Amino acid sequence: MFRKAAVPTVSNGSYLQGQANGKLSSMDSGQPARQGKVVLKKKVTLLRGISIIIGTIIGAGIFISPKGILKNTGSVGMSLTVWTVCGILSLFGALCYAELGTCIKKSGGHYTYILEAFGPLPAFVRVWVELLIIRPAATAVISLAFGRYILEPFFMQCEIPELAIKLVTAVGITLVMVLNSTSVSWSARIQMFLTFCKLVAILIIIVPGVIQLIKGETEHFKNAFAGNDASIMGLPLAFYSGMYAYSGWFYLNFVTEEVENPEKNIPLAICISMIIVTVGYVLTNVAYFTTISPGELLLSKAVAVTFAERLMGDFSLAVPVFVALSCFGSMNGGVFAVSRMFFVASREGHLPEILSMIHVRKHTPLPAVIVLHPLTMIMLFNGDLYSLLNFLSFARWLFIGLVVAGLIYLRYKRPDMPRPFKVPLFIPALFSFTCLFMVALSLYADPVNTGIGFAITLTGIPAYYLFIVWDNKPKWFRKLLGKSWCGTSLLHADSRNFSEICGSSDVLEKDCLEHFN
């Protein structure tokens, strides 16, 4: 069941939830937790934080089809320039989130910061679209890439059946959900291993590329800024592709409450990760151009495979495996982080209460993870995934821009808020402008799909008033909500052992069981 939204209140830079007795509580208030209270533990170290960021940024794109930038710039030199500039701009955005993460020490990422700065309505709209469309569709898309490339070595001479891809994808999604429901520590350890595999895969491309440069293979870098298809109008689309390739730097802010020493580790993890990814992306593209011409790169279906076949022979068979592992890492990191957004939104009254429950022994937000599974499966087998992502691609940049604008707003509204890490004001100003530019570019490039996405996003407004603001709901409506949400989670657990599985208030447990039974 939904709760009435809490009234935003700030104390020492942390949003506090209003409670029935009129008192306020906060995880950062310095008061000891109530006896027997189940909370998420701080198990995300600096190294694990770096693995979350790198592991979610680096997906399949850099290995398979890093050609959106080259196509729209028309030259090798300009494409490498755009890759570098997009990395720097993404670092600016990440630094803004580092400031927000150190002064608002709550998990939830975009949702929490919008709630803090602008109130409950825009925050609800953000989490509404994320839960129903964006996250299930995005998880399904990256999972399909995992399913395809994990099967690639077994179908070298023929086309992979679509049903086989979807079945393996479903197994991969289920495995990620089980892993994130079972253990925070194991999920983080596997993420570290997968991040290591991604970096190894990138090094496997960069090192031969450097050797080629030493041998004098610089033909494609001569007149690097000359190109027949160069167009000023293509540059905005090139930047759009570049910023999308770097997206994922914000995921550590989704798990702030689980980060050890967040004042130090969040900024450090963000800076280290973005430097590694930016250098890795630029050098990987340089390596490609030592062996593959711009025209061949645009025609290649899998650039890393083409590169490996020319320089490594049979070892190129390992590339699909590394791509699959890279996709699995992005799946794992995304589910790990975004489930915390749903957990926090539920805790603040914007999603059903059951999503704020924590496993009493494993200390994982079990229902917040599980709720993604059926939604992702529906998208996988029935949804037009790429259309949905096109519809809502602008929403990501709109809300990220709103978050960074909120940082500027909080500087003036709450100048006394503790800020252990503070960025120069020109950085959020420049990045907010960049995000608005991305939104405008979406409208220019694809006004129909962007308009549909805008309409889908606006459905969050009536949903907010229906589920959150409206107090006098009919009894049948309240029971229907209770059954739908409590039943979804209890399908995965015997209701007789409910209190042993998820920790929450006695009232919530009784309420859920009454509706379920």
Side-chain angles (χ1 to χ4, degrees):
M1 293 174 63
F2 290 83
R3 294 191 294 261
K4 186 174 178 60
V7 179
T9 308
V10 174
S11 175
N12 297 325
S14 181
Y15 172 96
L16 305 181
Q17 179 180 338
Q19 298 186 356
N21 58 7
K23 296 181 180 180
L24 298 170
S25 64
S26 172
M27 292 192 67
D28 299 307
S29 62
Q31 299 176 357
R34 297 193 308 270
Q35 185 176 4
K37 183 179 180 181
V38 183
V39 297
L40 297 174
K41 293 185 176 181
K42 291 183 176 290
K43 293 186 177 182
V44 179
T45 61
L46 174 61
L47 188 57
R48 289 176 177 178
I50 292 171
S51 72
I52 289 172
I53 298 173
I54 294 178
T56 48
I57 292 177
I58 302 176
I62 191 64
F63 303 108
I64 303 305
S65 182
K67 52 192 178 185
I69 293 177
L70 178 62
K71 179 180 179 180
N72 289 293
T73 56
S75 68
V76 171
M78 186 58 70
S79 69
L80 294 177
T81 302
V82 170
W83 275 106
T84 305
V85 172
C86 288
I88 294 171
L89 286 173
S90 297
L91 174 61
F92 284 176
L95 290 174
C96 295
Y97 270 62
E99 176 177 328
L100 290 166
T102 55
C103 67
I104 304 172
K105 299 170 190 173
K106 289 188 64 175
S107 298
H110 317 310
Y111 166 81
T112 297
Y113 305 143
I114 293 173
L115 181 64
E116 182 85 20
F118 302 112
L121 177 56
F124 175 86
V125 172
R126 177 67 184 89
V127 78
W128 168 265
V129 177
E130 183 78 26
L131 175 62
L132 294 185
I133 303 292
I134 295 178
R135 182 47 43 187
T139 302
V141 167
I142 191 67
S143 302
L144 279 171
F146 162 79
R148 178 175 296 278
Y149 285 97
I150 201 69
L151 290 173
E152 184 81 17
F154 303 101
F155 291 87
M156 297 299 293
Q157 304 300 324
C158 59
E159 191 72 21
I160 306 174
E162 286 297 321
L163 180 59
I165 293 174
K166 291 194 174 184
L167 289 176
V168 172
T169 298
V171 172
I173 292 170
T174 303
L175 183 58
V176 167
M177 301 296 176
V178 170
L179 177 63
N180 281 274
S181 301
T182 302
S183 172
V184 172
S185 295
W186 273 106
S187 178
R189 288 169 188 156
I190 291 176
Q191 187 69 11
M192 289 171 62
F193 168 75
L194 293 171
T195 300
F196 174 77
C197 291
K198 294 184 183 195
L199 295 178
V200 168
I202 285 180
L203 284 174
I204 288 174
I205 295 171
I206 291 175
V207 172
V210 171
I211 294 174
Q212 289 289 93
L213 286 176
I214 294 172
K215 290 180 178 179
E217 297 292 338
T218 58
E219 178 184 354
H220 301 139
F221 297 101
K222 296 176 181 178
N223 299 319
F225 289 89
N228 296 329
D229 298 325
S231 170
I232 297 298
M233 294 302 294
L235 283 178
L237 294 175
F239 273 99
Y240 189 91
S241 298
M243 294 299 291
Y244 182 82
Y246 283 100
S247 62
W249 42 261
F250 40 75
Y251 278 117
L252 187 60
N253 293 71
F254 285 52
V255 297
T256 302
E257 293 169 19
E258 297 168 74
V259 178
E260 293 180 357
N261 192 8
E263 296 89 346
K264 175 184 176 182
N265 287 338
I266 289 179
L268 267 178
I270 284 174
C271 290
I272 293 171
S273 301
M274 291 308 301
I275 291 172
I276 290 174
V277 172
T278 301
V279 172
Y281 274 7
V282 173
L283 291 181
T284 299
N285 279 276
V286 169
Y288 288 150
F289 288 124
T290 63
T291 305
I292 305 172
S293 70
E296 290 171 330
L297 189 144
L298 291 174
L299 293 174
S300 175
K301 293 183 178 180
V303 179
V305 174
T306 303
F307 177 85
E309 286 175 347
R310 294 192 179 182
L311 294 183
M312 304 175 198
D314 292 338
F315 186 76
S316 61
L317 294 175
V319 173
V321 177
F322 278 111
V323 173
L325 290 174
S326 181
C327 294
F328 193 85
S330 296
M331 292 158 57
N332 183 61
V335 170
F336 179 83
V338 175
S339 61
R340 272 59 176 179
M341 177 195 285
F342 303 148
F343 169 80
V344 172
S346 172
R347 193 172 64 190
E348 306 299 353
H350 284 165
L351 288 177
E353 290 179 278
I354 196 170
L355 299 184
S356 63
M357 290 182 173
I358 301 171
H359 196 290
V360 295
R361 293 186 301 275
K362 301 182 185 301
H363 294 274
T364 60
L366 183 63
V369 174
I370 289 175
V371 72
L372 281 170
H373 189 268
L375 295 172
T376 305
M377 289 298 178
I378 291 171
M379 292 288 184
L380 176 64
F381 287 99
N382 298 311
D384 186 356
L385 302 175
Y386 296 98
S387 294
L388 288 171
L389 288 179
N390 288 335
F391 291 159
L392 296 161
S393 61
F394 88 102
R396 165 179 283 180
W397 298 110
L398 176 64
F399 285 108
I400 289 176
L402 189 63
V403 167
V404 178
L407 183 152
I408 301 173
Y409 175 66
L410 289 173
R411 287 276 189 94
Y412 291 97
K413 183 180 179 183
R414 299 171 193 145
D416 298 328
M417 177 186 289
R419 291 178 171 87
F421 179 83
K422 192 173 182 179
V423 297
L425 197 58
F426 83 89
I427 289 180
L430 176 61
F431 192 76
S432 294
F433 174 79
T434 301
C435 292
L436 291 176
F437 172 76
M438 302 292 283
V439 172
L441 182 60
S442 296
L443 288 169
Y444 167 78
D446 194 353
V448 175
N449 283 338
T450 301
I452 294 173
F454 186 67
I456 293 174
T457 302
L458 289 180
T459 61
I461 297 176
Y464 174 76
Y465 286 98
L466 177 64
F467 296 118
I468 308 300
V469 176
W470 183 25
D471 283 332
N472 300 320
K473 298 181 181 71
K475 186 176 180 180
W476 65 267
F477 189 74
R478 294 197 303 270
K479 293 189 72 172
L480 179 63
L481 288 178
K483 281 186 178 182
S484 62
W485 285 98
C486 295
T488 299
S489 183
L490 289 173
L491 285 174
H492 299 266
D494 193 307
S495 61
R496 293 169 298 179
N497 298 321
F498 191 75
S499 61
E500 298 176 8
I501 296 173
C502 290
S504 187
S505 68
D506 293 337
V507 174
L508 172 58
E509 179 186 332
K510 179 181 178 182
D511 194 24
C512 278
L513 292 180
E514 283 179 354
H515 282 299
F516 187 68
N517 294 325

